[in-house]
Amino acid sequence: MIWRKSSYSINSNDCVEIGRGVGIRDSKAPVTHLPVAPAAWSAFLRTLKR
């Protein structure tokens, strides 16, 4: 699994990372993650763009 974090926090360890098809996790606790369905993630991104 490839986890990605925002380019705004590239030099920080205190960030949220996104794993495609898996969910989100805290970079300080990478063992656990919060599952997020692809449809829910897409809806979240659409809301942010508005």
Side-chain angles (χ1 to χ4, degrees):
M1 169 53 51
I2 297 173
W3 291 91
R4 298 173 190 228
K5 62 181 166 180
S6 169
S7 59
Y8 290 104
S9 46
I10 206 79
N11 294 322
S12 175
N13 290 326
D14 298 330
C15 60
V16 173
E17 298 174 321
I18 306 302
R20 185 174 184 171
V22 175
I24 58 176
R25 71 180 184 182
D26 184 337
S27 62
K28 295 182 302 263
V31 176
T32 59
H33 71 276
L34 177 66
V36 178
W41 183 249
S42 294
F44 173 72
L45 291 178
R46 280 193 306 274
T47 300
L48 287 179
K49 290 178 182 179
R50 287 188 216 154

